Amino acid sequence: GVLLIPFIIYFNLKHQYELSLLLYVIAWIADGFDGWAARKFGATSRSGTFLDPLADKIFTISHNIFFWSLITIFCSVPVIAIAVSLTTLRIFKVSDNKIKNIEHSIMAIRPGKWKTNIEKSSFCIIILAQIIFIKYFPLQDGFHYMTIISNIVLAASLPFAFLSLMNQMYPEKVAAWSAKYYRQTKQT
């Protein structure tokens, strides 16, 4: 998916929004498929465990920066800060694993995957808004409202981003909370 970023942005800049959206969706599907295939066929690896979330962060940050003028600072700055923090923590854990021969988990948790998909949805909404309200039905208000919806969707990813960050910092506490929450929801 990461290899398609320059093409997604290029076609967007050339106002070929449909092609930009198509490549965006292909990259999104490819990202989900490679993780699923690795787990399904037992082809997971330590490097894949690190590189897949890194690719997600590159994808998210690049689109966050590209659409900077359309995204509120209250969404974009926390999304970028948490993405950089998560990657930095994973780098320290990998180096700590090598130096001290201690096994730290760098695996992304399910809410982290939800976060990534919610973030990708928000940028998809922007590209879709460009197709609908810039190219075919030039309504500035419609485009404006779609970017507001995109910002709300991006903001919805923040609790999951925070939970992912907490999982990298305090994995035992998050696992205990998660198990307790799961038991409570299963009983109701």
Side-chain angles (χ1 to χ4, degrees):
V2 173
L3 298 176
L4 291 177
I5 293 171
F7 300 102
I8 294 166
I9 292 172
Y10 172 79
F11 288 119
N12 198 285
L13 289 171
K14 294 293 184 183
H15 305 283
Q16 295 179 359
Y17 304 122
E18 295 92 341
L19 195 50
S20 180
L21 181 63
L22 177 67
L23 292 175
Y24 189 92
V25 171
I26 289 170
W28 189 355
I29 291 170
D31 176 53
F33 179 75
D34 74 343
W36 172 84
R39 287 185 298 279
K40 172 95 172 143
F41 299 111
T44 58
S45 67
R46 261 212 52 95
S47 59
T49 302
F50 177 77
L51 291 175
D52 188 58
L54 177 63
D56 291 339
K57 305 302 177 278
I58 292 169
F59 199 82
T60 299
I61 290 172
S62 64
H63 286 91
N64 214 321
I65 291 169
F66 181 69
F67 292 120
W68 186 262
S69 65
L70 302 174
I71 300 168
T72 177
I73 196 165
F74 300 110
C75 291
S76 58
V77 170
V79 165
I80 292 172
I82 291 173
V84 169
S85 299
L86 278 166
T87 302
T88 304
L89 279 168
R90 285 187 175 110
I91 290 169
F92 282 125
K93 286 183 172 187
V94 167
S95 65
D96 203 35
N97 288 350
K98 289 181 180 178
I99 295 169
K100 298 179 182 174
N101 203 18
I102 300 172
E103 191 64 30
H104 294 292
S105 174
I106 59 169
M107 182 77 80
I109 58 175
R110 184 163 295 159
K113 296 176 191 312
W114 296 338
K115 167 199 70 76
T116 299
N117 284 304
I118 292 169
E119 290 168 349
K120 289 179 180 179
S121 297
S122 72
F123 300 122
C124 196
I125 290 169
I126 291 175
I127 300 172
L128 193 58
Q130 290 173 320
I131 293 169
I132 296 169
F133 295 112
I134 292 177
K135 192 162 188 178
Y136 293 110
F137 305 103
L139 300 168
Q140 193 60 36
D141 285 345
F143 182 73
H144 176 71
Y145 293 131
M146 288 288 280
T147 58
I148 290 171
I149 291 169
S150 174
N151 277 278
I152 292 168
V153 170
L154 189 59
S157 75
L158 290 173
F160 300 110
F162 185 72
L163 186 58
S164 292
L165 183 60
M166 291 298 101
N167 182 62
Q168 289 301 318
M169 294 170 65
Y170 311 106
E172 298 83 15
K173 290 181 181 181
V174 171
W177 174 82
S178 191
K180 179 181 174 185
Y181 176 76
Y182 180 73
R183 278 194 306 273
Q184 288 175 349
T185 56
K186 196 173 182 180
Q187 292 172 353
T188 57

